[in-house]
Amino acid sequence: ETGVTQTPRHLVMGMTNKKSLKCEQHLGHNAMYWYKQSAKKPLELMFVYNFKEQTENNSVPSRFSPECPNSSHLFLHLHTLQPEDSALYLCASSLAGGSDEQYFGPGTRLTVT
Amino acid sequence: DQQVKQNSPSLSVQEGRISILNCDYTNSMFDYFLWYKKYPAEGPTFLISISSIKDKNEDGRFTVFLNKSAKHLSLHIVPSQPGDSAVYFCAASARTGANNLFFGTGTRLTVIP
C-alpha cells in the first residue's frame, strides 16, 4: 500500500451514532491533516498534527474529535453529528507541518441522516 | 471570507487548444501558490507550484503565471488533452505564518476530443 489511504470510503450514519474515520500514510511524513469539503465550498482545514501533536484546530465543533497515535495514522472520531456535517472528509500528509506539498487520500464520503 | 477564489466553476476546451484556469487571492501575506488536480473518487494531487519571488513556472505542458500586483495567478495547459479533464484547485499559503493551505472552490475542466 502506498500514498495516503482512507477508510471507509463511504459512510452513512444517524445523528446518534458514533463512528470513526481512519487515515494512514505510507510516505514517511511527519504532518497530517483533516479537511472537510462541502458542495460548492473550498476545502476547509479542520485539524493539523505535527509529529503527533495537534498544532491547529480550526474552530471545529467538539462533535469531531481527532486522534493521532503516531505519525502514520490519523483518526477522526464522530459523534452526534448533524445533517449539515455531510461532506467529503479528506486526509492529507506532508513532510513537515504547514509544508507546501500535501498529499491527499481519496476521502470518505459521509452522509448524516 | 474566502481568501482564494476561483470564479469560473467550469471550463470546456477543445483537445489541442490551450486551457487557462484563473485564481485570485486577497491575502497579501500569501507567498506560495499551488495547483492541485482532482479526478472523481480520488483525492487532490499536486500539479505545480510557484513562489512569490517568481512570476512564471513551467513543467511540461503546465505553466503557472503569477501577477502579484493583481493578486492573480493562472494555470495554462497546452496542448490540452482529454486526460486533463478534472477539477483544478488553486491553493495558497503564507510561509512566514502557519503555512497552512487555503483552497479555492475549484474549476471543472472538460477537454473535448
Side-chain angles (χ1 to χ4, degrees), chain A:
Chain A
E1 194 80 72
T2 58
V4 182
T5 58
Q6 289 186 244
T7 54
R9 296 293 308 274
H10 300 272
L11 178 63
V12 179
M13 61 185 287
M15 292 166 62
T16 58
N17 290 158
K18 286 185 181 181
K19 296 286 184 184
S20 295
L21 310 185
K22 179 183 176 182
C23 175
E24 185 173 358
Q25 58 94 1
H26 309 268
L27 301 168
H29 289 166
N30 298 306
M32 297 187 78
Y33 310 77
W34 279 117
Y35 286 88
K36 174 184 178 182
Q37 186 179 24
S38 304
K40 294 186 171 49
K41 287 188 173 182
L43 273 72
E44 300 171 56
L45 179 66
M46 299 175 73
F47 301 104
V48 181
Y49 277 83
N50 277 307
F51 295 92
K52 303 187 297 178
E53 298 297 320
Q54 188 180 128
T55 57
E56 183 102 11
N57 175 339
N58 204 18
S59 303
V60 181
S62 60
R63 57 186 184 269
F64 295 91
S65 174
E67 179 192 0
C68 188
N70 54 61
S71 293
S72 298
H73 293 85
L74 185 65
F75 295 90
L76 188 62
H77 304 299
L78 316 171
H79 62 99
T80 59
L81 294 192
Q82 306 297 312
E84 59 264 30
D85 296 323
S86 298
L88 180 68
Y89 288 84
L90 288 160
C91 172
S93 71
S94 66
L95 192 57
S99 188
D100 309 323
E101 292 165 26
Q102 296 178 15
Y103 294 78
F104 286 82
T108 296
R109 173 70 61 187
L110 173 68
T111 303
V112 181
T113 60

Side-chain angles (χ1 to χ4, degrees), chain B residues 70-89:
Chain B
K71 294 193 179 68
H72 177 85
L73 64 154
S74 61
L75 175 68
H76 293 212
I77 307 173
V78 56
S80 301
Q81 300 173 353
D84 296 329
S85 297
V87 178
Y88 289 79
F89 292 97

Side-chain angles (χ1 to χ4, degrees), chain B:
Chain B
D1 192 30
Q2 261 183 263
Q3 299 188 58
V4 178
K5 298 178 183 177
Q6 293 176 258
N7 293 318
S8 298
S10 63
L11 174 68
S12 291
V13 171
Q14 206 71 34
E15 181 179 3
R17 305 294 291 269
I18 184 170
S19 296
I20 300 177
L21 297 102
N22 294 303
C23 177
D24 297 293
Y25 62 96
T26 57
N27 189 340
S28 57
M29 298 299 293
F30 288 151
D31 54 9
Y32 196 74
F33 305 89
L34 307 89
W35 284 94
Y36 280 81
K37 175 179 178 179
K38 185 180 185 302
Y39 290 119
E42 295 182 14
T45 54
F46 170 74
L47 189 59
I48 192 169
S49 63
I50 188 167
S51 165
S52 61
I53 62 172
K54 301 174 77 173
D55 53 20
K56 176 183 173 181
N57 189 26
E58 192 172 349
D59 183 2
R61 296 185 297 112
F62 302 90
T63 303
V64 55
F65 294 91
L66 176 63
N67 182 335
K68 290 185 289 293
S69 60
K71 294 193 179 68
H72 177 85
L73 64 154
S74 61
L75 175 68
H76 293 212
I77 307 173
V78 56
S80 301
Q81 300 173 353
D84 296 329
S85 297
V87 178
Y88 289 79
F89 292 97
C90 171
S93 71
R95 285 175 159 174
T96 53
N99 204 14
N100 293 327
L101 289 179
F102 293 84
F103 286 85
T105 50
T107 296
R108 181 177 301 279
L109 173 66
T110 302
V111 180
I112 304 162

